[in-house]
Amino acid sequence: MLNNTKKILDKYNIRLDKNKSQNYLIDKNKLNKILENADIHNNETILEIGAGIGTLTIPMAKKAKKVIAIEKDPIIADILKQRIIKEKLSNIEVIREDALKIDFPEFDKMVSNLPYQISSPVTFKLLKYPFKKAILMYQLEFAKRMQANPNTHEYSRLSVALYFRADIQIIDTLPPEAFIPKPKVNSAVIELVPKENNVTQLFDNTTRALFQHRNKKAKKALIQSAHELKSNKKELKPKLDNINNPLLDEKVFKLTPENIKEISEIIGEIL
């Protein structure tokens, strides 16, 4: 795989840019594990973001009904198109756009080695669409934060925001040597299965307000970030002072997602 990737890059005189998260997978065992977990069927449409030169795209197209490959870099996208012609594949649609600026077409599954710079916005955008599951690659630290438990170093706003929206598990980890060029960090492949949920904007606002001060007590964090709740400190403080609930005296990083949901409901009642 390494030799083939280098051969393609040399042929088109391409120098990959790590600043654009252009780190291409060259470990065939890891690639096969991604495909195995994606469990692609011939009646499914697969969405891929950051398709690159087609390392995942082409083998997926040999299993799927259709692959929609989004690639922002116009030169890389043209190389991908030429490889598709050479492979005589007719079920790949290449979209040469920024994935954050377009609506996603209908798809059944998403499988991607995501550009790490856009991991968070792409993930939350993805969760606005209906789909069966996603197999996605992230920085390992980001993947740990996605599924972190309260009272841990990794627990964050991301952990809480995803808790009610998806079941997430890390299914593989990858060292820098699995890519060309080598990134400075380890990576992880996660399986993400969306959940039915009734997450409200107020819950998201409350979570954001709290985690701006993750080491403080909840009440103090909410007052200091009252603007996130479309309020102000003078209005919010006396209202919270009248609430007798021990959750408001708990440190933010110890609050479970269910605790934060309860706090958001309190905020909804007093504002």
Side-chain angles (χ1 to χ4, degrees), residues 11-271:
K11 178 180 177 182
Y12 295 97
N13 196 25
I14 298 296
R15 292 180 64 85
L16 296 177
D17 186 347
K18 285 194 282 190
N19 294 324
K20 295 179 181 177
S21 296
Q22 289 179 325
N23 304 101
Y24 289 175
L25 182 63
I26 53 169
D27 187 319
K28 192 169 184 179
N29 290 330
K30 299 296 186 184
L31 173 69
N32 288 337
K33 191 162 184 179
I34 291 171
L35 295 173
E36 191 179 304
N37 281 282
D39 190 27
I40 296 169
H41 297 274
N42 60 11
N43 62 347
E44 292 177 331
T45 297
I46 310 300
L47 177 67
E48 183 185 14
I49 292 174
I53 59 174
T55 304
L56 276 169
T57 322
I58 290 171
M60 290 198 296
K62 293 176 180 175
K63 296 172 177 282
K65 174 184 174 185
K66 181 179 181 181
V67 176
I68 301 166
I70 301 176
E71 174 53 54
K72 181 180 177 183
D73 188 315
I75 297 173
I76 299 293
D78 285 343
I79 294 172
L80 175 58
K81 287 179 179 178
Q82 292 178 47
R83 291 196 69 204
I84 293 168
I85 293 169
K86 186 178 177 184
E87 293 281 342
K88 298 180 180 175
L89 292 167
S90 58
N91 62 339
I92 302 175
E93 177 185 356
V94 178
I95 299 177
R96 202 174 65 185
E97 295 284 356
D98 184 337
L100 296 178
K101 295 181 179 176
I102 61 170
D103 294 330
F104 295 162
E106 287 187 17
F107 61 98
D108 297 297
K109 295 175 180 173
M110 179 169 164
V111 183
S112 297
N113 175 9
L114 288 174
Y116 293 160
Q117 303 164 321
I118 59 171
S119 293
S120 184
V122 163
T123 303
F124 283 103
K125 182 172 181 174
L126 169 68
L127 287 167
K128 293 177 181 175
Y129 292 81
F131 63 98
K132 296 177 185 173
K133 75 170 181 179
I135 302 294
L136 304 170
M137 199 182 304
Y138 295 94
Q139 285 187 20
L140 178 58
E141 289 304 313
F142 188 90
K144 287 180 177 176
R145 285 170 49 212
M146 291 174 79
Q147 56 164 199
N149 293 317
N151 206 11
T152 62
H153 175 70
E154 293 86 4
Y155 190 56
S156 66
R157 181 166 76 92
L158 178 70
S159 323
V160 177
L162 292 176
Y163 178 83
F164 290 114
R165 290 177 164 95
D167 288 319
I168 294 167
Q169 62 170 330
I170 294 176
I171 57 177
D172 199 9
T173 57
L174 299 89
E177 290 74 23
F179 302 89
I180 179 175
K182 294 178 189 177
K184 293 180 179 176
V185 296
N186 290 321
S187 302
V189 178
I190 65 107
E191 179 186 75
L192 182 153
V193 179
K195 292 181 188 174
E196 282 192 20
N197 68 79
N198 58 354
V199 173
T200 64
Q201 186 61 52
L202 180 57
F203 172 79
D204 284 339
N205 292 347
T206 303
T207 305
R208 185 165 49 251
L210 288 168
F211 275 91
Q212 287 179 3
H213 312 279
R214 75 185 299 278
N215 293 318
K216 292 184 178 176
K217 291 182 178 179
K219 185 165 76 175
K220 192 166 187 180
L222 291 169
I223 292 169
Q224 291 195 346
S225 291
H227 60 283
E228 297 288 358
L229 305 169
K230 306 193 185 315
S231 181
N232 58 66
K233 294 177 183 178
K234 285 186 179 178
E235 178 193 26
L236 185 59
K237 186 176 183 308
K239 291 182 176 179
L240 287 176
D241 285 342
N242 286 330
I243 303 294
N244 181 22
N245 189 316
L247 290 179
L248 294 176
D249 291 321
E250 186 59 273
K251 293 281 186 71
V252 169
F253 68 89
K254 293 183 177 179
L255 294 169
T256 67
E258 287 84 0
N259 293 157
I260 293 172
K261 187 170 185 289
E262 185 178 334
I263 291 173
S264 75
E265 289 167 354
I266 292 170
I267 296 295
E269 289 171 4
I270 63 173
L271 289 182

